[in-house]
Amino acid sequence: MKIAVTSASGKLGASVVKHLINEIGKENVIGIARTPDKAKHFGIEIRKGDYNNRQDFDVALQGVDAVLLVSGMDEPQKRIQQHRNVIEAAKQNGVKKIVYTSIVGAEENNAFSPVVQSNRQTEKDVRDSGLVWVIGRNGIYIEPDLEYMDTYIKDGEIRNCAGDGKCTYTSREELGYAYAKILTEEKHNGKVYNLVGEPITQSQLAECINQVYDTNLVYNPISVEAYKSDRKAELGDFLGTVIAGIYEGIKNDANDVVSDFEKAVGRPHKSTIEMMKVYNAK
Ligand SMILES: NC(=O)c1ccc[n+]([C@@H]2O[C@H](COP(=O)([O-])OP(=O)(O)OC[C@H]3O[C@@H](n4cnc5c(N)ncnc54)[C@H](OP(=O)(O)O)[C@@H]3O)[C@@H](O)[C@H]2O)c1
C-alpha cells in the first residue's frame, strides 16, 4: 500500500507525512512537492508535483494507491483547476482513493467565503471523481496565533473582529494524526468530517494563552471594517481581506461547528491548552 501526500514541503503535509510514517513505515509513504528539495529531510521517496502542472502528477501518482490532496494556496478560482489536475491524474493513473483537506466555513456572507466556495467545488469534484474518497473539513489552525505571540505580548491584547463568536481551532499536529488514520483505514471512505477541536471565544483563547504562557492578554473586539483596514495595511489586499474574512466568519458563527474528530479517529481532539503545550514541546 503506497500513500502519497501532496504539498509535502508545507507544514500540514509534513505533519501528515510524519504520522503516516508511524502508521505504515517510510517505504510506503511518498511525498509530492512543488519544491522537492524542501521535502528531502523526511528520508522518503519525494516526487515533483506542482498543482499547475497536470503532467507532474501523471508521473508522481504512478503506483500510488491513495493520495492526500492538500488544498493549495492560490486565489480561489485558480485553485479549482489546480486541484482538478491532481484529481484527473489520480483517475487516469490507477489511484484508488483520494482524501482532500477542505475547510470549515460559510460559503456566503464574508470575505473568506470565496475561498470556502472554491473548496466546496473541489469537494464536489472529489466526490464525482469515481474514486473512493474522504473529505476532511479542517478547522482554523491554532499555530499561527502561537507564532504571533510576540506581537500579542507587545500589544498586551488580542484585537480582531470575531466578537463573541466561537471558533473550533485545531492544529496541524492533530490534523496530521487524523489524516494518517483516514488515509489508512477503510471505514472513513465516503465520509465528510469536520476535523476541529472545542469551540472557544477569543476571550477564552486569551485566557488559555495567559495560562500556558504566563501572560496577561485581554481580548478587544473591533468592527469588521476597522479590522479589514488594519489587516490590509499589514498583509496586503488579498491576504488581509482573507484573514479579516475568517474573523468575520467566526463572529457570525461560521466556525462553531460540531466536531467529527473523535468519531472519525477514535480519540478526543486535544483541548486548546493541550495543543499549545504540544506546540511548545516541539
Ligand atoms: N485551516 C487553516 O487555518 C489554514 C490556514 C492556512 C492555510 N490553510 C490551507 O491549508 C493548506 C496547507 O497549509 P500549510 O500550513 O501546510 O501551509 P504552508 O506550510 O504554507 O504550505 C503550503 C504548501 O503549499 C504548497 N504549494 C503552494 N502552491 C503550490 C502549487 N502550485 N503546487 C504544489 N504545491 C503548492 C507549498 O509548496 P512550496 O514548498 O513549493 O512552496 C507548500 O508545501 C494551505 O495550502 C491552505 O489551503 C488552512
Side-chain angles (χ1 to χ4, degrees), residues 3 66 68 97-100 133-136 175-189 191 193 195 264-265:
I3 300 185
L68 179 71
K97 173 168 170 173
I98 184 162
V99 179
Y100 172 54
W133 58 266
V134 189
I135 292 163
L175 291 170
Y177 178 82
Y179 282 109
K181 297 276 181 213
I182 288 169
L183 282 158
T184 52
E185 297 172 347
E186 283 185 15
K187 63 183 178 191
H188 309 289
N189 298 349
K191 300 261 171 57
Y193 291 135
L195 297 176
V265 304

Side-chain angles (χ1 to χ4, degrees), residues 190-206:
K191 300 261 171 57
V192 180
Y193 291 135
N194 288 333
L195 297 176
V196 303
E198 61 189 350
I200 58 166
T201 62
Q202 295 296 297
S203 296
Q204 288 172 312
L205 177 64

Side-chain angles (χ1 to χ4, degrees), residues 6-14 32-36 38 49-52 57 70-74 79 82-83 101-103 119 138-142 144 170 172 175 246:
T6 70
S7 286
S9 57
K11 294 185 185 124
L12 178 62
I32 302 178
R34 175 174 64 174
T35 319
K38 282 164 70 179
D50 182 329
Y51 293 150
N52 290 310
F57 286 89
V70 172
S71 63
M73 287 292 257
D74 242 312
R79 279 202 220 178
Q82 291 178 333
H83 294 159
T101 74
S102 188
I103 189 93
N119 281 41
N138 297 349
I140 303 292
Y141 306 149
I142 194 88
T170 184
R172 297 186 185 98
L175 291 170
I246 289 174

Side-chain angles (χ1 to χ4, degrees), residues 1-3 17-30 44:
M1 169 100 171
K2 296 265 186 201
I3 300 185
V17 165
K18 181 185 85 177
H19 286 281
L20 262 182
I21 290 172
N22 278 343
E23 296 280 336
I24 57 172
K26 281 190 173 182
E27 64 283 9
N28 294 313
V29 183
I30 295 168
I44 59 171

